[in-house]
């Protein structure tokens, strides 16, 4: 895939530059690689739960320099396609970034004439890890955190020129630092994968008035037939009110910024994987009768919790009904874009295929996706167990939690809080998982309490696998390859957070010839036979031991791992999809069906 681009450089002189762009050579591509538009990759609106009509996407080809050990070359290193990580093929660079290196991004952008006199907000959906932002040579701010959206008001830095210069300086220590980084390592091997440094989600700007809506938190109360809104706003003076409404649905409530506003929902239609109904509403910020700002959002009416069945087993409940959670471990890596899916349609494909295989949930594993991912989970109907990306260090099950210094603790809690607050409104997210297999695990009970204060409406898994500390709503074990069940407890549900990992190598669809799985299978038929045997065991444990959920490893192959339900390039589902739906679809039935008919 090669594009010859004419880049008009509007810098005061009338000239046009001819530039040839193509993905950098890589081990494996996807069918969506060829669909990436280098003039405007990821053109979709990036914030589906707080939509304004006016905005400008800044994705595309930027100038970049890779500064080795802080050295500053005298020439541009080339072009990079934002928002793909530097290490990825789709960035056009595919270069490594060391812990002492710095990435310098640069581009120019216009401010539409109609925006003049308004506040201009610059948004980054995610940059890994530390980013310093400069507008026209003036520092707009600094941000630390590899997974969360952040914003700077750049109104005072915008010049009178036709174009404004945006420079972003990024550093990323990956596994040489103490920050949350998930499975990224500088030396990829086994279950540890290639890093994704730099800008890896959409960059965009939008205009707002002097008074504007800043944050919306939405909490459904299904038993109470209402939904609770807290809308924070940036206000230059007093006298502002809020109106939340959908005239066609007969929904309307008013209140004050920063206060709880109850929106009554008569005869609510519950959100579930089988009926992912969403209510669209508008939120208007008013000064008297005049609209100062208006955004579009949506909510789903659902409740999540635990309850006991007739035999005393603690189960997971959705909308006050027992439901077995069954889904794959979803790593969210791509051979062409690494952390960044090649396109929105590619990302949507993973969710749709997961549904088509009969699953009703997925566990998003030590990675946080862009906000459109959760929008599609909301809209298509799949529950999400959301992991916090892990940090360095390890705790064995029989050892005490790690000790973290103040800076490490503050950074982890800061990024954890941002994850929860920026993804809070998505009905698809039903559980927070702060730790996995003892990776970076510290102050477990304190972190569970911290999550509870931020979000008492969802379940908390104190740690998925191994170093359980008796806190949270579930006891979660991992066992490979065959499934096992934790011993039942009186207050927590028993879940199998990882199992399976059955590997099947498919020639021509792998990252490299060297590959592995927890148990290698010789054919698709033998893989399906073993898979069904494992799920027969799951069903028996669900009935006899109270197993409440299972997570199969994994959605796709990832780099040298070939234990995916799909190949890494997403070209093949390794087992017959109808057979998978038949096997997995059984667990969408009420648990009581299996208890009564074991």
């Amino acid at each position: 895939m090669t594009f010859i681009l004419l880049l008009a450089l509007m810098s005061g002189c009338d000239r046009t530059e001819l530039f040839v762009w193509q993905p950098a050579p890589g081990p494996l591509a996807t069918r969506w690689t060829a669909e990436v538009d280098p003039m405007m990759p990821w053109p979709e609106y990036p914030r589906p739960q707080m939509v304004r009509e006016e905005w400008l996407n800044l994705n595309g080809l930027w100038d970049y320099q890779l500064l080795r050990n802080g050295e500053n070359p005298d020439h541009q290193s080339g072009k990079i396609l934002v928002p793909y990580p530097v290490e990825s093929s789709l960035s056009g660079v595919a270069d490594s970034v060391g812990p002492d290196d710095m990435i310098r991004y640069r581009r120019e952008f216009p401010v539409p004439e109609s925006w003049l006199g308004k506040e201009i907000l610059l948004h980054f959906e995610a940059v890994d890890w530390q980013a310093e932002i400069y507008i026209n040579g003036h520092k707009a701010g600094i941000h630390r955190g590899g997974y969360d959206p952040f914003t700077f008001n750049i109104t005072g830095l915008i010049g009178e020129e036709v174009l404004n210069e945006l420079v972003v300086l990024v550093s990323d220590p990956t596994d040489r630092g103490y920050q949350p980084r998930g499975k990224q390592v500088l030396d990829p091997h086994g279950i540890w994968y290639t890093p994704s440094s730099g800008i890896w989600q959409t960059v965009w700007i939008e205009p707002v008035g002097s008074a504007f809506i800043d944050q919306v938190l939405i909490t459904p109360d299904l038993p109470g037939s209402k939904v609770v809104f807290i809308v924070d706003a940036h206000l230059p003076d007093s006298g502002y009110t809020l109106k939340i409404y959908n005239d066609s649905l007969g929904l309307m409530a008013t209140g004050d910024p920063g206060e709880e506003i109850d929106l009554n929902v008569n005869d609510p239609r519950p959100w579930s994987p089988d009926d992912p109904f969403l209510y669209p509403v508008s939120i208007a910020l008013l000064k008297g009768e005049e609209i100062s700002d208006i955004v579009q959002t949506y909510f789903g009416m659902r409740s999540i919790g635990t309850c006991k069945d007739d035999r005393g087993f603690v189960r997971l409940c959705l909308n006050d009904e027992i439901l077995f959670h069954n889904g794959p471990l979803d790593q969210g890596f791509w051979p062409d874009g690494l952390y960044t899916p090649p396109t929105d349609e590619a990302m949507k494909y993973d969710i749709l295929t997961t549904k088509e295989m009969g699953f009703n949930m997925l566990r998003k594993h030590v990675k946080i996706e862009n906000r459109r991912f959760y929008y599609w989970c909301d809209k298509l109907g799949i529950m999400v167990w959301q992991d916090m990306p892990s940090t360095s260090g390890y705790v064995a099950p029989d050892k005490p939690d790690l000790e973290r210094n103040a800076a490490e603790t503050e950074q982890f809690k800061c990024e954890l809080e941002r994850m929860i607050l920026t993804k809070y409104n998505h009905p698809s997210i039903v559980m927070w998982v702060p730790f996995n297999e003892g990776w970076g695990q510290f102050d477990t009970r304190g972190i569970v309490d911290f999550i509870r204060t931020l979000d008492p409406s969802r379940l908390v898994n104190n740690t998925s696998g191994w170093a359980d500390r008796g806190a949270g709503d579930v006891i979660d074990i991992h066992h490979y390859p065959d499934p096992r069940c934790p011993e039942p407890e009186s207050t927590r549900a028993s879940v199998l957070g990882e199992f399976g990992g059955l590997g099947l190598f498919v020639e021509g669809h792998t990252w490299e010839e060297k590959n592995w799985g927890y148990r290698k299978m010789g054919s698709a038929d033998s893989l399906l036979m073993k898979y069904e045997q494992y799920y027969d065991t799951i069903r028996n444990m669900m009935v006899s031991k109270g197993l409440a959920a299972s997570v199969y490893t994994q959605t796709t192959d990832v780099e040298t791992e070939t234990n995916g339900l799909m190949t890494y390039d997403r070209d093949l589902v390794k087992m017959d999809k109808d057979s998978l739906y038949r096997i997995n679809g059984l667990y969408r039935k009420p648990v009581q069906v299996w208890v009564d008919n074991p």
Side-chain angles (χ1 to χ4, degrees), residues 237-472:
D237 49 31
S238 60
Y240 290 87
T241 58
L242 291 160
K243 179 181 176 182
I244 304 169
Y245 62 97
N246 182 317
D247 293 335
S248 64
L249 294 176
L251 302 174
M252 201 278 284
T254 59
D256 297 324
E259 302 295 327
E260 289 190 0
I261 302 174
D262 291 349
L263 179 68
N264 294 321
V265 183
N266 295 325
D267 192 21
R269 181 173 167 181
W271 181 97
S272 72
D274 290 328
D275 184 21
F277 184 77
L278 301 172
Y279 290 82
V281 292
S282 300
I283 304 176
L285 178 65
L286 305 171
K287 183 74 176 284
E289 297 296 320
E290 182 179 349
I291 296 177
S292 299
D293 190 18
I294 188 167
V295 298
Q296 313 300 322
T297 188
Y298 66 86
F299 61 87
M301 294 296 291
R302 67 102 183 92
S303 63
I304 184 69
T306 60
C307 54
K308 286 191 176 182
D309 66 14
D310 294 342
R311 302 170 67 194
F313 290 128
V314 181
R315 303 287 190 178
L316 301 179
C317 293
L318 179 69
N319 304 329
D320 293 324
E321 294 183 352
I322 293 173
L323 182 64
F324 189 86
H325 292 204
N326 180 42
L329 191 73
D330 194 309
Q331 308 264 20
F333 276 78
W334 297 78
D336 45 8
L338 300 177
Y339 255 16
T340 309
T343 66
D344 187 65
E345 279 299 314
M347 183 176 68
K348 180 181 174 183
Y349 173 84
D350 271 11
I351 301 167
L352 276 171
T353 304
T354 300
K355 291 266 298 183
E356 290 169 355
M357 289 189 286
F359 295 110
N360 63 10
M361 60 83 75
L362 60 86
R363 180 182 166 207
K364 178 50 63 177
H365 190 38
V366 293
K367 182 198 176 189
I368 306 168
E369 296 288 357
N370 67 49
R371 291 188 271 198
R372 291 192 61 83
F373 176 87
Y374 303 98
Y375 161 74
W376 284 120
C377 291
D378 295 342
K379 191 173 180 65
L380 298 174
I382 194 158
M383 297 181 293
V384 177
W385 292 13
Q386 179 60 53
D387 286 12
M388 176 65 187
S390 52
T391 61
S392 297
Y394 168 73
V395 172
D398 59 344
K399 300 296 181 182
D401 284 359
L402 296 172
E403 296 289 335
R404 293 296 194 199
N405 63 38
E408 294 169 344
T409 300
E410 181 181 2
Q411 187 62 42
F412 182 87
K413 293 178 72 174
C414 178
E415 295 196 43
L416 174 62
E417 180 175 5
R418 291 172 188 158
M419 176 184 75
I420 292 171
L421 294 183
T422 58
K423 309 303 181 295
Y424 183 91
N425 297 337
H426 293 281
S428 57
I429 299 177
V430 297
M431 183 185 293
W432 302 115
V433 187
F435 300 113
N436 176 79
E437 293 187 351
W439 303 345
Q441 189 169 334
F442 74 102
D443 187 22
T444 306
R445 287 185 170 272
I447 293 298
V448 168
D449 291 342
F450 180 67
I451 294 173
R452 297 264 199 230
T453 62
L454 294 171
D455 182 9
S457 73
R458 288 181 173 89
L459 300 169
V460 182
N461 182 340
N462 80 129
T463 182
S464 187
W466 302 3
D468 179 69
R469 302 306 188 213

Side-chain angles (χ1 to χ4, degrees), residues 463-586:
T463 182
S464 187
W466 302 3
D468 179 69
R469 302 306 188 213
D473 298 294
V474 302
I475 177 172
D476 181 328
I477 66 167
H478 296 177
H479 194 273
Y480 286 100
D482 55 311
R484 299 289 173 87
C485 181
E487 288 300 314
E489 294 187 350
S490 61
T491 59
R492 297 191 299 169
S494 298
V495 306
L496 178 59
E498 292 181 29
F499 82 102
L502 299 173
L504 180 64
F505 170 79
V506 181
E507 185 73 37
H509 297 274
T510 57
W511 183 256
E512 59 182 62
E513 288 296 315
K514 180 183 178 183
N515 63 87
W516 68 279
Y518 288 96
R519 177 174 178 176
K520 288 196 174 186
M521 308 304 294
S523 68
D525 288 342
S526 63
L527 174 61
L528 180 61
M529 183 180 300
K530 182 58 66 176
Y531 184 90
E532 187 159 20
Q533 289 174 3
Y534 282 175
Y535 269 93
D536 284 343
T537 302
I538 292 287
R539 185 182 66 183
N540 291 334
M541 293 189 300
M542 178 176 67
V543 174
S544 63
K545 294 188 175 183
L547 185 67
S550 61
V551 179
Y552 180 83
T553 299
Q554 58 188 339
T555 305
T556 72
D557 295 345
V558 183
E559 300 198 357
T560 60
E561 289 188 58
T562 54
N563 47 22
L565 294 159
M566 291 187 280
T567 55
Y568 196 19
D569 58 10
R570 278 72 168 176
D571 269 7
L572 298 172
V573 177
K574 296 182 184 179
M575 293 174 276
D576 176 68
K577 199 184 297 183
D578 290 339
S579 296
L580 285 172
Y581 189 87
R582 173 181 56 81
I583 296 166
N584 294 315
L586 294 175

Side-chain angles (χ1 to χ4, degrees), residues 8-11 40 55-63 105-113 115-116 119-124 133-138 140 152-168 203-207:
L9 303 181
M10 300 169 61
S11 58
M40 186 53 67
W55 70 294
L56 181 64
N57 193 321
L58 299 185
N59 293 342
L61 288 163
W62 293 40
D63 298 325
Y105 294 86
R106 180 193 175 276
R107 69 156 291 159
E108 294 177 332
F109 65 93
V111 175
E113 189 173 347
W115 293 11
L116 298 179
E119 303 290 300
I120 307 299
L121 305 181
L122 171 63
H123 302 285
F124 293 83
I133 315 301
Y134 294 85
I135 302 292
N136 296 322
H138 302 285
F152 294 110
N153 188 324
I154 60 172
T155 308
L157 305 179
I158 298 295
E160 298 180 357
E161 298 81 4
V162 174
L163 293 178
N164 293 273
E165 181 189 58
L166 168 58
V167 172
V168 183
V203 185
W204 57 294
I205 58 174
E206 66 174 341

